[in-house]
Amino acid sequence: MASQRALPQSKESLLQNYNKRLKDDIRSILDNLTEIIKTAKVEDETQVSRATQAEQDHYEMHVRAANIVRAGESLMKLVSDLKQFLILNDFPSVNEAISLQNQQLRSLQEECDKKLTSLRDEIAIDLYELEEEYYSSSYSSGSFTPFPPGRRRIPLPHWIHLFTPINSPPLPATPPGYIYPFTFTCK
């Protein structure tokens, strides 16, 4: 009841209207069904003939059955109206569902970011080790040069990938005060 009192006057009157429709339709179904059952009883003595009475009872049952069907359709329309009212006016549950979905997606994003960061770090370490192995091998001192003459290879420091999250802006080209060891590939 406290949540209904917090509703604006138009919503409160709309809910009261729904409640009145519900009670009227249920009362209509109950009354018509009761009258159909009363009509089904056979009376011994009547002032009209049995055929006339049977025809009148048959017609009354059809009318009352139609009233029951109308009340049932009205109840189905009421359920539809209530669903629409709930969907359009239940902002807290809609917001809760949206925030829950956002939270799930953010946790999935964080998990993916951690996996990608880990993968990037592993690849950077492996690449650095492969480069060191390659440049210390006989292939780098032979006739094959991986870079054109005059170009240099700048190895990245080992710590550069450890503190760079995926969504952060790129690091500056050279940290202040850091001197790169240059390796020349030409003879």
Side-chain angles (χ1 to χ4, degrees):
M1 288 291 170
S3 64
Q4 287 183 352
R5 296 194 194 285
L7 293 174
Q9 186 63 29
S10 62
K11 290 181 184 178
E12 182 73 29
S13 63
L14 187 61
L15 289 175
Q16 288 175 353
N17 183 23
Y18 289 158
N19 197 13
K20 182 182 179 306
R21 282 174 50 191
L22 174 68
K23 288 180 181 178
D24 290 345
D25 289 337
I26 290 176
R27 186 178 305 115
S28 173
I29 290 173
L30 183 63
D31 291 344
N32 283 304
L33 191 59
T34 305
E35 290 300 319
I36 286 175
I37 292 172
K38 285 180 184 177
T39 306
K41 291 181 183 177
V42 178
E43 297 177 8
D44 291 334
E45 294 291 322
T46 59
Q47 292 181 354
V48 292
S49 70
R50 283 192 177 223
T52 307
Q53 185 66 39
E55 193 62 34
Q56 181 181 354
D57 291 345
H58 179 72
Y59 177 72
E60 183 179 352
M61 285 184 187
H62 276 285
V63 170
R64 294 208 179 268
N67 287 340
I68 290 173
V69 169
R70 183 206 51 82
E73 288 174 348
S74 178
L75 284 174
M76 290 183 357
K77 173 74 169 116
L78 178 64
V79 168
S80 174
D81 290 347
L82 284 171
K83 286 180 182 178
Q84 183 178 4
F85 176 80
L86 184 64
I87 289 171
L88 295 177
N89 295 311
D90 192 16
F91 295 118
S93 67
V94 171
N95 289 340
E96 182 179 338
I98 289 172
S99 64
L100 178 66
Q101 186 178 13
N102 281 344
Q103 185 181 18
Q104 290 173 346
L105 292 174
R106 287 191 194 280
S107 67
L108 180 64
Q109 178 188 6
E110 288 174 5
E111 182 181 332
C112 289
D113 286 349
K114 287 178 185 177
K115 287 180 181 178
L116 285 173
T117 302
S118 172
L119 184 62
R120 183 197 60 203
D121 292 343
E122 290 175 14
I123 290 173
I125 290 169
D126 291 342
L127 181 63
Y128 188 73
E129 290 173 357
L130 286 172
E131 284 179 349
E132 282 184 353
E133 182 68 29
Y134 174 76
Y135 288 116
S136 65
S137 70
S138 62
Y139 292 110
S140 66
S141 61
S143 63
F144 175 75
T145 57
F147 297 103
R151 294 266 181 137
R152 60 184 178 206
R153 180 179 77 82
I154 303 173
L156 296 174
H158 70 281
W159 53 266
I160 195 121
H161 299 291
L162 298 178
F163 302 106
T164 309
I166 291 176
N167 295 332
S168 68
L171 292 173
T174 58
Y178 184 80
I179 300 174
Y180 288 110
F182 298 114
T183 305
F184 294 97
T185 57
C186 58
K187 291 187 177 183

